[in-house]
Amino acid sequence: MSEIDKHPAFNALRRLTPARLRLDPEGGPATLESVLDFQLSHAKARDAIWKPVDWEAVEAGIGGAEVIRVHSRAEDRGVYIRRPDLGRRLREGDGETLPEGPFDVVIVLADGLSADAVNTNSAEVMTGLVEAFSDLRLGPIVLAEQGRVGIGDEIGERMGAKLMVMVIGERPGLSLTTSLGAYLTINPRVGTPDSSRNCVSNIHNSGGLSAEKAVAKIDWLVRHALKLGVTGVGLKDNSDKILIE
């Protein structure tokens, strides 16, 4: 261990993030410990992408809310990885299972690129959002298997949603596999560009945005979006004051 690793300031910084902060400035071969740690992190990231979500457990964890299950046009994980476009559209026939609304808000939960994130953190976030939107016309929760962000546009359009909230597993890194993201889109329509969305990212309990704070931020954004009739580049996030402990 080098002198910098022993420094109190550097150790304090390490406690703030699970990320790898530096390489050994003295050079030389990597230690066996660091090589094995890297290989383990890489394996966890691959597992998070490829393993399935436990949708039954997720649905049970949401608690009491009406839930509808749908699937994208990507029939399996291999197709989902190779064809992002198919993950953005509903499987033929699944759209007919959705109620037409109208609704103020529709919440969609998709596996995205991390089953770990959905399995670990989604129940608390989804339950918090349902409670936060209790005074709004909230549609049934839609669980979208093999779904990407864009699938929420088709779901929201079919359900007559004023605003769609898509909660999705974020791409895992080499230090974290359990991060969720939330995308907000006013008047969702198939083909909506990303510039028309707001994103709340890094929702996890390992130094990221906690579920409680994420719900508060999303709630602030949703209410201002409904009031102003806009999301994306036209909606500025000034919610930081509500997140100060």
Side-chain angles (χ1 to χ4, degrees):
M1 180 179 293
S2 67
E3 290 303 316
I4 191 172
D5 287 306
K6 301 175 184 177
H7 196 284
F10 191 75
N11 288 330
L13 185 59
R14 281 186 183 278
R15 290 193 292 269
L16 295 176
T17 175
R20 289 171 173 81
L21 295 177
R22 70 180 193 91
L23 297 175
D24 187 352
E26 298 175 0
T31 64
L32 177 60
E33 180 182 8
S34 63
V35 171
L36 293 177
D37 177 67
F38 182 89
Q39 291 176 339
L40 176 60
S41 296
H42 187 258
K44 287 181 177 178
R46 288 178 59 87
D47 284 348
I49 291 173
W50 285 96
K51 72 183 181 183
V53 169
D54 186 346
W55 290 110
E56 286 70 26
V58 169
E59 182 174 345
I62 294 174
E66 182 182 356
V67 172
I68 298 174
R69 298 271 297 273
V70 298
H71 202 289
S72 77
R73 295 182 184 178
E75 62 265 26
D76 58 41
R77 202 61 175 169
V79 174
Y80 176 86
I81 297 297
R82 294 192 301 270
R83 292 286 306 274
D85 57 314
L86 297 182
R88 300 186 185 106
R89 297 301 304 271
L90 282 169
R91 180 173 57 188
E92 186 176 354
D94 279 15
E96 281 66 44
T97 67
L98 301 172
E100 294 183 2
F103 299 106
D104 294 323
V105 178
V106 168
I107 306 173
V108 182
L109 174 64
D111 35 14
L113 288 169
S114 177
D116 277 352
V118 177
N119 289 332
T120 303
N121 293 321
S122 66
E124 187 176 1
V125 173
M126 299 296 284
T127 300
L129 291 176
V130 170
E131 293 175 354
F133 301 149
S134 60
D135 61 322
L136 301 175
R137 292 180 299 174
L138 180 64
I141 303 298
V142 181
L143 305 182
E145 188 172 353
Q146 308 295 0
R148 294 183 182 267
V149 173
I151 200 172
D153 297 330
E154 184 175 1
I155 292 169
E157 183 176 4
R158 285 180 173 271
M159 295 179 69
K162 289 184 179 180
L163 189 144
M164 184 272 298
V165 177
M166 163 64 79
V167 180
I168 192 166
E170 292 185 325
R171 185 188 309 273
L174 290 175
S175 58
L176 189 73
T177 65
T178 58
S179 181
L180 291 171
Y183 293 81
L184 284 66
T185 309
I186 199 80
N187 299 322
R189 298 289 184 271
V190 174
T192 298
D194 288 339
S195 59
S196 296
R197 314 186 199 281
N198 290 82
C199 177
V200 179
S201 62
N202 292 307
I203 304 171
H204 59 86
N205 293 317
S206 300
L209 195 63
S210 69
E212 180 181 4
K213 289 184 177 181
V215 168
K217 182 179 282 286
I218 294 167
D219 183 47
W220 188 96
L221 287 167
V222 163
R223 294 180 188 277
H224 282 72
L226 291 173
K227 179 180 179 180
L228 299 173
V230 65
T231 52
V233 295
L235 178 62
K236 303 305 178 184
D237 181 3
N238 296 316
S239 65
D240 288 347
K241 62 182 180 180
I242 67 175
L243 302 180
I244 298 174
E245 296 180 348

